[in-house]
Amino acid sequence: MARRAQPEPVDARLLKIAAAHIRRHGIAKTTIVSIAAEAGMSHANVYRYFPSKWALFEALGDRWLKPVEARLREVADGPDPADDKLERLVSLLHRAYRDKVESEPELFAIFVESVEKGRAGARRHRARVQQEVQQVIEDGIAAGVFLASDLRRAMALVFDVLHRFIHPAAIWHDREVPRDQLQRRLDRVTALVTRALVGGLRQVL
């Protein structure tokens, strides 16, 4: 006897409807009332799952950021040398953000606003990104790949120098710049950062 398909969870359905509304109408015109109407429930019932419009928007962000974070974790935990892993981490993050800008600019705009306003979901994501980068740097120091011994300065180097290529607001600002052009610049700058870490930061900070 065939098993009956399980109904879609209510919160997942609400997120799907919200994403469709944002794509069609934009952020400003997407309301809890309109989402509730399409879901066939009262707006008060929607608030049982998401306490505010921005809580719902943040949940949308979490839904696409979690796979990105999982891929970063796979790279950080991999067996490759730390310098190679750092370059792959940075490139992966840049490509993931750029992909979202191009495929779903409205949803990426929500993410940028969350970052700029310091909302909880954006803070959690940044902390996870920093965690993966820190692990790679620590592994590189422990293995003797990176001569840089000051973790704080090494982290500052990565995030300050690569800001244009891995900060969401910068990615949004550069959304009209040709993708291949940015990738070439990113590759060059990342190579410089990696060499600085390998050399012990003597000529950088």
Side-chain angles (χ1 to χ4, degrees):
M1 183 176 177
R3 295 177 60 182
R4 296 178 59 184
Q6 295 295 316
E8 184 178 32
V10 174
D11 56 347
R13 183 162 176 258
L14 291 172
L15 288 174
K16 187 181 295 184
I17 293 170
H21 281 219
I22 290 168
R23 293 184 189 107
R24 287 199 302 267
H25 311 301
I27 300 169
K29 293 183 179 179
T30 296
T31 66
I32 293 294
V33 171
S34 64
I35 293 167
E38 184 167 336
M41 62 174 66
S42 69
H43 68 279
N45 202 20
V46 174
Y47 286 125
R48 289 176 53 202
Y49 297 91
F50 302 102
S52 68
K53 177 177 171 178
W54 269 100
L56 191 154
F57 285 174
E58 283 202 352
L60 278 174
D62 288 344
R63 190 170 64 169
W64 74 266
L65 287 170
K66 281 181 180 178
V68 175
E69 293 165 1
R71 288 160 60 200
L72 293 174
R73 166 57 55 180
E74 288 176 5
V75 173
D77 287 343
D80 302 311
D83 52 345
D84 180 60
K85 289 197 290 188
L86 182 60
E87 291 182 1
R88 288 170 58 200
L89 275 180
V90 171
S91 186
L92 190 160
L93 189 63
H94 174 77
R95 289 198 311 271
Y97 287 167
R98 183 69 187 223
D99 286 347
K100 201 65 174 180
V101 167
E102 293 177 357
S103 64
E104 297 187 289
E106 300 88 356
L107 295 180
F108 194 84
I110 290 173
F111 175 45
V112 171
E113 184 167 346
S114 293
V115 170
E116 292 177 338
K117 293 185 179 297
R119 299 186 189 276
R123 291 200 308 272
R124 287 194 300 270
H125 174 67
R126 178 170 176 79
R128 289 169 186 144
V129 171
Q130 290 175 330
Q131 178 182 341
E132 307 308 341
V133 172
Q134 180 173 328
Q135 177 182 318
V136 169
I137 292 175
E138 288 177 336
D139 289 349
I141 293 172
V145 175
F146 296 149
L147 295 183
S149 58
D150 188 323
L151 179 62
R152 180 189 60 80
R153 293 174 70 208
M155 291 285 286
L157 174 70
V158 171
F159 286 97
D160 289 352
V161 176
L162 294 171
H163 179 276
R164 179 179 184 180
F165 307 100
I166 60 175
H167 192 283
I171 298 288
W172 179 255
H173 178 76
D174 278 340
R175 63 190 181 277
E176 301 300 330
V177 178
R179 184 176 183 136
D180 59 343
Q181 184 182 119
L182 275 180
Q183 186 65 52
R184 286 195 299 271
R185 292 177 183 174
L186 170 60
D187 292 343
R188 289 196 297 268
V189 175
T190 305
L192 290 173
V193 169
T194 303
R195 285 202 295 272
L197 293 173
V198 169
L201 303 179
R202 288 188 296 273
Q203 297 179 355
V204 181
L205 295 178

